[in-house]
């Protein structure tokens, strides 16, 4: 490898329909329009008087809100499917922001907005966007299409080609597929895209044709010495390469991609709650767990007294469970079994009523009389609000497994359920609980990870309440 290949960003500068670019030229237009309006005003303020002007909080909020709404609408117009020409990328944002400002002026009583103000606002934005496109040049402007080749002919490659062709804002020109052989596979027939090269002649194709990016779309079991040499050829000829993340992590959610080790490494991880979504989820966990622990403090005392009076042993049952990223933590429950329950487990293994790694026994002789009620009502799980508050668990997530159950995993794909924090309730709790088979339980947990959203968490919490009250599937 003789020369470094460009990154995606180097293939074309980010001069497309970005929020920052739209905001910058809108702000410049507003400043210029206010300057023109000030020159027309009968009263002229000195610089000192201008600096001493006070802006009311209401006016500031109105201005900020209008600015944000205007930029958002302009962004939609900038990337909309209806844009056919390069000039639309300059005209539409300027036209939309001017129109929104004109419509908002009488509603919000904006006295400064008049004909010269709107004319200046439109002109400055239009000239600004056109200037940006001109400075970028014919090969790097936001309408300059990137010439793309897809390396691979699998069904995933076909699906990726449809995604590339259907994205109106990406401006990709899809040249075709590169296959191991020249023969066209039946799966490519409905794409309208041909195989442009085989592996052997790929280097020659890159030499004779305009190619900006190669989308490397091969599953791990098809990657060999021959295919890695294709990557070397892209590098040597200065062609950017994009690795298809879902070919490596084939799931319903696209993996999260980021930089690490000072930019020298690329991280590829399952897309689990992170960033702002994680903070919203965590804040909700803390607020709800604190409130619930305060409200339940008196009932907790009554339950503790009932446990101590009906069977010898501690009030709480503490057990090491497998949590987030397989980290161990101490989970709390109200004790529902006899004091030496774990020592008696090996003698009951042969009576296990569920398949897979878990152990469940409907008529478990270790359960105390008060414990049976606590289990059926799910009251025994309430001390786990302490684990939620401490951050070991969340309100919603796959149930934490004992070390014994986790050690018995035979299908290693089930380990992915540990990629999120365990929870008090999840899809399995609202879709059958103990009535589900082991495989159905594991599949429900993985489905939760693939479908995760804050809205899904809220729906699960709301649906958990009637399920718990009905005691369906609990024993």
């Amino acid at each position: 490898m003789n020369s470094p290949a460009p990154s995606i960003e180097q293939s074309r500068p980010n001069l497309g329909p970005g929020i920052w670019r739209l905001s910058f030229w809108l702000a410049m237009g507003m400043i210029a329009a206010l300057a023109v309006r000030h020159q027309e005003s009968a009263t002229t303020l000195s610089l000192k008087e201008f600096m001493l002007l006070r802006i009311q909080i209401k006016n500031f909020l109105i201005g900020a809100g209008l600015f944000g709404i205007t930029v958002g609408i302009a962004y939609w117009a900038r990337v909309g499917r209806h844009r056919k020409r390069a000039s639309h990328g300059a005209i539409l944002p300027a036209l939309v922001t001017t129109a929104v400002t004109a419509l908002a002026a009488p509603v919000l009583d904006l006295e400064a907005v008049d004909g010269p103000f709107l004319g200046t606002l439109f002109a400055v934005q239009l000239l600004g966007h056109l200037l940006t496109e001109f400075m970028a040049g014919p090969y790097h402007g936001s309408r300059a299409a990137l010439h793309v080749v897809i390396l691979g002919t699998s069904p995933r490659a076909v699906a990726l080609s449809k995604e590339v062709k259907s994205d109106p804002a990406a401006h990709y020109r899809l040249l075709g597929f590169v296959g191991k052989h020249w023969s066209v596979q039946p799966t490519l027939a409905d794409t309208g895209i041909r195989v442009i090269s085989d592996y052997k002649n790929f280097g020659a194709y890159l030499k004779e044709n305009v190619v900006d990016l190669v989308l490397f779309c091969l599953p791990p079991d098809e990657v060999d010495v021959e295919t890695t040499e294709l990557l070397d050829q892209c590098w040597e000829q200065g062609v950017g390469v994009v690795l298809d993340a879902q070919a490596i992590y084939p799931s319903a959610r696209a993996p999260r991609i980021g930089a690490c080790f000072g930019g020298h490494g690329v991280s590829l991880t399952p897309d689990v709650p992170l960033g702002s979504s994680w903070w919203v989820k965590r804040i909700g966990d803390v607020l709800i767990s604190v409130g619930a622990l305060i409200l339940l403090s008196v009932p907790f005392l009554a339950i503790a007294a009932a446990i101590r009076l009906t069977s010898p042993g501690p009030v709480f049952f503490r057990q090491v469970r497998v949590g987030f990223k397989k980290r161990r933590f101490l989970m709390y429950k109200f004790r529902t079994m006899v004091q030496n329950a774990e020592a008696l487990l090996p003698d009951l293994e042969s009576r296990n009523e569920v398949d897979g790694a878990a152990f469940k026994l409907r008529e478990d002789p270790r359960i105390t009389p008060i414990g049976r009620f606590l289990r059926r009502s799910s009251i025994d799980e309430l001390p786990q609000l302490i684990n939620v508050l401490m951050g070991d668990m969340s309100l919603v997530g796959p149930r934490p497994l004992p070390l014994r159950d986790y050690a018995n995993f035979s299908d290693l794909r089930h380990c992915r359920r540990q990629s999120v924090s365990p929870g008090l309730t999840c899809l399995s709790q609202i879709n059958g609980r103990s009535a589900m088979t082991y495989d159905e339980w594991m599949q429900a947990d993985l489905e939760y990870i693939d479908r995760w959203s804050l809205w899904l968490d809220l729906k699960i919490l709301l649906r958990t309440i009637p399920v718990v009250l009905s005691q369906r599937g609990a024993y």
Side-chain angles (χ1 to χ4, degrees), residues 128-165:
H129 290 303
L130 289 175
L131 177 63
T132 304
E133 294 288 345
F134 175 78
M135 293 293 291
Y139 305 116
H140 300 288
S142 59
R143 289 298 301 178
L146 288 176
H147 293 60
V148 177
V149 167
I150 295 181
L151 179 60
T153 55
S154 65
R156 171 58 191 162
V158 173
L160 186 61
S161 71
K162 295 178 180 179
E163 292 179 23
V164 171
K165 291 176 63 177

Side-chain angles (χ1 to χ4, degrees), residues 225-236:
V225 175
E226 186 178 14
T227 54
T228 54
E229 288 177 352
L230 299 179
L231 294 178
D232 289 344
Q233 293 175 20
C234 294
W235 183 279
E236 290 169 351

Side-chain angles (χ1 to χ4, degrees), residues 32-76:
L34 287 173
V36 170
R37 183 69 174 80
H38 177 66
Q39 290 296 324
E40 292 182 338
S41 177
T43 59
T44 302
L45 297 176
S46 65
L47 178 61
K48 181 179 179 180
E49 291 172 328
F50 177 78
M51 297 297 292
L52 292 175
L53 287 177
R54 296 182 179 179
I55 300 177
Q56 295 182 357
I57 294 179
K58 181 184 73 173
N59 293 337
F60 175 80
L61 294 177
I62 290 175
L66 177 62
F67 189 91
I69 293 171
T70 304
V71 169
I73 296 176
Y75 181 79
W76 170 83

Side-chain angles (χ1 to χ4, degrees), residues 131-450:
L131 177 63
T132 304
E133 294 288 345
F134 175 78
M135 293 293 291
Y139 305 116
H140 300 288
S142 59
R143 289 298 301 178
L146 288 176
H147 293 60
V148 177
V149 167
I150 295 181
L151 179 60
T153 55
S154 65
R156 171 58 191 162
V158 173
L160 186 61
S161 71
K162 295 178 180 179
E163 292 179 23
V164 171
K165 291 176 63 177
S166 64
D167 190 345
H171 318 311
Y172 295 135
R173 180 183 174 188
L174 187 55
L175 303 179
F177 296 97
V178 176
K180 190 175 185 66
H181 306 289
W182 277 104
S183 58
V184 178
Q185 298 185 16
T187 54
L188 306 180
D190 62 343
T191 64
I193 306 171
R194 62 191 179 94
V195 176
I196 56 176
S197 175
D198 60 0
Y199 290 177
K200 181 180 179 181
N201 297 286
F202 184 54
Y205 180 88
L206 290 178
K207 178 183 177 183
E208 300 298 331
N209 295 273
V210 177
V211 178
D212 296 305
L213 292 176
V214 174
L215 303 186
F216 192 88
C217 187
L218 292 175
D221 58 349
E222 293 185 19
V223 177
D224 53 22
V225 175
E226 186 178 14
T227 54
T228 54
E229 288 177 352
L230 299 179
L231 294 178
D232 289 344
Q233 293 175 20
C234 294
W235 183 279
E236 290 169 351
Q237 297 197 39
V239 178
V241 175
V242 177
L243 302 179
D244 176 37
Q246 280 196 304
I248 302 174
Y249 281 127
S251 66
R253 294 180 74 93
R256 183 180 297 273
I257 303 173
C260 59
F261 301 120
H264 297 289
V266 177
S267 64
L268 190 65
T269 57
D271 188 13
V272 296
L274 292 171
S276 59
S277 298
W278 182 88
W279 278 108
V280 173
K281 182 180 175 74
R282 178 60 184 148
I283 291 172
D285 287 343
V286 172
L287 293 179
I288 294 176
S289 60
V290 168
L293 288 171
I294 293 174
L295 292 175
L296 295 173
S297 57
V298 175
F300 272 22
L301 293 176
I303 296 169
I307 294 173
R308 290 299 300 270
L309 291 174
T310 55
S311 65
V315 170
F316 293 107
F317 171 70
R318 300 182 300 171
Q319 187 181 53
V320 177
R321 296 286 177 108
V322 183
F324 177 66
K325 298 292 186 182
K326 307 176 186 64
R327 289 170 172 82
R328 271 58 167 168
F329 71 98
L330 199 61
M331 192 193 75
Y332 298 93
K333 296 178 64 175
F334 281 124
R335 183 173 59 83
T336 60
M337 293 185 174
V338 295
Q339 192 170 359
N340 61 337
E342 291 190 282
L344 299 175
L345 179 59
D347 297 332
L348 300 173
E349 290 279 7
S350 60
R351 297 170 57 184
N352 190 6
E353 295 178 355
V354 296
D355 56 351
F359 176 87
K360 290 184 180 181
L361 184 60
R362 187 177 297 272
E363 298 298 330
D364 196 321
R366 300 173 299 167
I367 301 178
T368 63
I370 187 64
R372 194 166 302 279
F373 165 75
L374 294 177
R375 279 174 169 249
R376 291 190 62 84
S377 60
S378 298
I379 293 176
D380 64 318
E381 309 286 357
L382 291 179
Q384 290 161 42
L385 290 167
I386 300 173
N387 292 113
V388 174
L389 180 60
M390 295 171 62
D392 296 321
M393 294 177 59
S394 177
L395 292 173
V396 183
R399 290 293 298 153
L401 293 176
L403 298 182
R404 172 225 175 257
D405 294 3
Y406 183 78
N408 288 338
F409 272 179
S410 57
D411 190 340
L412 297 183
R413 292 176 298 179
H414 295 162
C415 295
R416 188 160 66 91
R417 69 192 300 281
Q418 312 305 139
S419 63
V420 298
S421 294
L424 284 171
T425 182
C426 201
L427 287 176
S428 57
Q429 270 59 48
I430 62 175
N431 291 326
R433 304 176 78 181
S434 297
M436 301 179 73
T437 66
Y438 174 78
D439 287 337
E440 290 173 340
W441 173 22
M442 293 294 107
Q443 185 58 41
D445 288 342
L446 298 181
E447 180 186 352
Y448 166 77
I449 296 173
D450 290 337

